[in-house]
């Protein structure tokens, strides 16, 4: 009887299991109800009393050996499967979905490129600004309503730190750090303490432009904006309406002629045929002075535009909230097919 145990033991030891089917066969052959090891257990009662102890011990060792072997085989088969070494290697994988460039980034890059082509470089500044760069250096009077809690998210009071309300703060940083000629654009995120609606958001994006040199005039400003309108909108008819900003004098708002031929033109331009795209003007001498530039030697122009507005117009997006909601159905429309 002990010989039969030893025989089975060497058979079990010699078996190599390389697949799930072989593991099943092994279980059936040795460990199932009719398996060889189970059969030996049944024979236990026929063993003589003095051999029972040795036989039982040997049998238990054999059973544990077979069970361990079966279990180890299954585990290693599981592992090989997760690293993909078995199974059908020719099956196509799960397709990777490509993302789309966000419309705000696409428009920003397009505008930045237009200005880069005529020698503007890019500058950036912090989103949390001190009072000096966001307001004081830009000639905002102490009591100016834009400093009010209604418009500004203050992070700290006395000294004031706030989320910047416009990218004009980067103008100041540029003028403080380099001497003219300065020709720079500054794209970035800005924050206003305003109720969110279809047309306005408390977080949006702007692109600021600044050009400072000797003898820069309003004609240069108009010319560069004509070029921008031609490149971006494909329409070069612009008009400037007088406006007010503390940091420019004179100041203007710029409209691009859109046309008024159909219902869509009517909606986009609110019935005027003109699309309002930015604020601009000649940099106020006080602003130059505040940043360490001599206004008797240098002059310059600045402009600032909102990216959301321009993107809404370009893609006919009716609600500004769509830009930040991350709805895949919205974002997927901007896939470029790369
Ligand atoms: N900072 C202004 C705003 O947030 C936009 C602006 C107007 C920027 C005129 C300029 C400018 O540089 O000259 O509404």
């Amino acid at each position: 009887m002990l010989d039969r145990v030893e025989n089975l033991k060497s058979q079990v030891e010699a078996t190599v299991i390389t697949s799930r089917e072989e593991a099943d066969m092994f279980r059936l052959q040795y460990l199932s109800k009719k398996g060889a090891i189970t059969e030996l257990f049944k024979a236990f009662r026929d063993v003589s009393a003095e051999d029972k102890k040795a036989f039982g011990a040997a049998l238990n060792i054999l059973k544990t050996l077979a069970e361990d072997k079966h279990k180890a085989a299954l585990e290693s088969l599981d592992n090989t499967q997760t690293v993909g070494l078995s199974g059908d290697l020719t099956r196509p994988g799960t397709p990777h979905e490509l993302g789309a460039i966000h419309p705000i980034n696409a428009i920003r890059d397009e505008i930045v490129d237009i200005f880069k082509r005529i020698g503007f470089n890019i500058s950036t500044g912090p989103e949390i600004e001190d009072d000096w760069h966001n307001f004081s250096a830009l000639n905002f009077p102490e009591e100016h309503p834009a400093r009010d809690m209604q418009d500004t998210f203050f992070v700290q009071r006395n000294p004031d730190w706030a989320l910047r309300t416009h990218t004009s703060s980067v103008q100041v940083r540029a003028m403080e750090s380099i001497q003219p000629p300065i020709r720079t654009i500054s794209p970035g995120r800005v924050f206003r303490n305003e109720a969110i609606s279809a047309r306005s958001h408390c977080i949006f994006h702007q692109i600021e432009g600044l050009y400072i040199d000797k003898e820069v005039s309003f004609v240069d400003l108009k010319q560069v904006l004509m070029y921008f309108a031609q490149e971006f909108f494909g329409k070069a008819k612009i008009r400037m309406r007088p406006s007010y900003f503390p940091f420019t004098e004179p100041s203007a708002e710029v409209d691009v002629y859109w046309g008024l031929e159909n219902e869509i033109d009517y909606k986009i331009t609110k019935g005027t045929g003109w699309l309002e795209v930015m604020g601009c003007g000649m940099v106020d001498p006080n602003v130059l002075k505040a940043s360490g530039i001599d206004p008797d030697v240098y002059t310059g122009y600045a402009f600032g535009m909102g990216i959301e507005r321009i993107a809404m117009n370009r893609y006919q997006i009716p609600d500004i909230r769509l830009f930040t909601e991350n709805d895949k159905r919205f974002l997927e429309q901007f896939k470029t097919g790369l």
Side-chain angles (χ1 to χ4, degrees):
M1 273 303 218
L2 260 182
D3 284 354
R4 279 177 66 192
V5 177
E6 284 308 314
N7 260 343
L8 270 186
K9 196 172 165 214
S10 23
Q11 272 182 39
V12 165
E13 278 168 348
T15 312
V16 181
I17 303 174
T18 58
S19 68
R20 246 162 230 292
E21 291 74 38
E22 286 174 7
D24 262 355
M25 293 266 290
F26 179 87
R27 194 184 53 79
L28 280 174
Q29 191 176 348
Y30 298 106
L31 296 164
S32 67
K33 266 190 189 162
K34 295 227 162 95
I37 295 174
T38 324
E39 291 296 331
L40 273 185
F41 270 98
K42 285 179 197 159
F44 188 73
R45 55 176 180 252
D46 303 330
V47 177
S48 64
E50 69 258 33
D51 288 341
K52 262 199 163 80
K53 197 171 169 202
F55 181 77
L59 201 52
N60 273 330
I61 289 173
L62 171 62
K63 189 179 176 216
T64 313
L65 179 79
E67 281 173 349
D68 285 354
K69 182 152 192 155
H70 182 248
K71 199 169 144 213
L74 286 183
E75 271 169 13
S76 91
L77 285 168
D78 270 355
N79 286 341
T80 10
Q81 267 185 358
T82 51
V83 293
L85 292 178
S86 70
D88 181 0
L89 295 181
T90 62
R91 262 176 55 195
T94 323
H96 262 294
E97 265 190 70
L98 278 184
I101 294 178
H102 194 280
I104 294 297
N105 288 353
I107 295 290
R108 179 201 59 202
D109 292 349
E110 199 178 322
I111 297 173
V112 165
D113 272 353
I114 290 172
F115 285 101
K116 267 184 13 193
R117 290 205 285 275
I118 51 168
F120 280 74
N121 65 16
I122 300 168
S123 45
T124 54
E127 290 180 343
I128 299 178
E129 267 296 8
D130 51 21
D131 175 88
W132 173 254
H133 292 95
N134 199 76
F135 295 125
S136 295
L138 288 164
N139 202 32
F140 277 83
E142 231 11 273
E143 70 291 356
H144 196 282
R147 292 178 179 223
D148 207 294
M149 286 298 277
Q150 274 169 14
D151 294 314
T152 308
F153 285 115
F154 284 98
V155 175
Q156 183 191 291
R157 286 298 221 166
N158 294 323
D160 286 354
W161 284 87
L163 299 181
R164 67 178 176 199
T165 58
H166 52 183
T167 43
S168 301
S169 57
V170 190
Q171 277 188 31
V172 179
R173 292 188 172 270
M175 288 189 279
E176 281 173 345
S177 59
I178 31 176
Q179 276 300 305
I182 301 170
R183 200 186 279 145
T184 189
I185 47 167
S186 324
R189 221 159 35 144
V190 301
F191 309 84
R192 300 264 172 97
N193 195 355
E194 273 175 20
I196 299 174
S197 71
R199 284 179 61 84
S200 68
H201 208 292
C202 58
I203 303 177
F204 55 101
H205 298 77
Q206 289 186 331
I207 296 188
E208 189 79 11
L210 177 72
Y211 180 38
I212 312 277
D213 204 346
K214 287 179 181 152
E215 290 171 23
V216 178
S217 75
F218 206 90
V219 175
D220 299 307
L221 170 61
K222 199 166 174 192
Q223 204 53 45
V224 89
L225 296 181
M226 288 275 280
Y227 157 78
F228 167 71
Q230 170 76 60
E231 293 294 302
F232 189 85
F233 296 100
K235 302 175 192 231
K237 204 165 146 194
I238 62 170
R239 76 176 181 192
M240 288 168 148
R241 282 176 290 108
S243 186
Y244 171 77
F245 300 103
F247 33 92
T248 40
E249 182 59 37
S251 304
E253 274 172 275
V254 180
D255 301 336
V256 174
Y257 187 68
W258 189 259
L260 199 54
E261 273 150 38
N262 54 40
E263 202 185 327
I264 294 175
D265 294 346
Y266 222 87
K267 260 195 198 148
I268 290 174
T269 65
K270 290 196 226 140
T272 63
W274 293 89
L275 181 73
E276 185 190 318
V277 289
M278 70 177 96
C280 66
M282 299 306 292
V283 179
D284 193 291
N286 284 340
V287 174
L288 294 174
K289 233 185 284 168
S291 303
I293 291 175
D294 185 350
D296 291 330
V297 182
Y298 293 106
T299 52
Y301 63 70
F303 55 85
M305 53 188 129
I307 304 183
E308 274 77 359
R309 267 199 67 100
I310 295 176
M312 285 167 85
N313 169 259
R314 161 73 64 90
Y315 299 117
Q316 303 282 295
I317 297 168
D319 192 322
I320 197 169
R321 289 169 288 203
L322 285 164
F323 291 122
T324 42
E325 273 169 1
N326 273 341
D327 186 331
K328 264 183 87 186
R329 292 166 303 178
F330 171 73
L331 296 172
E332 274 171 352
Q333 297 176 84
F334 302 96
K335 279 189 178 169
T336 52
L338 283 176

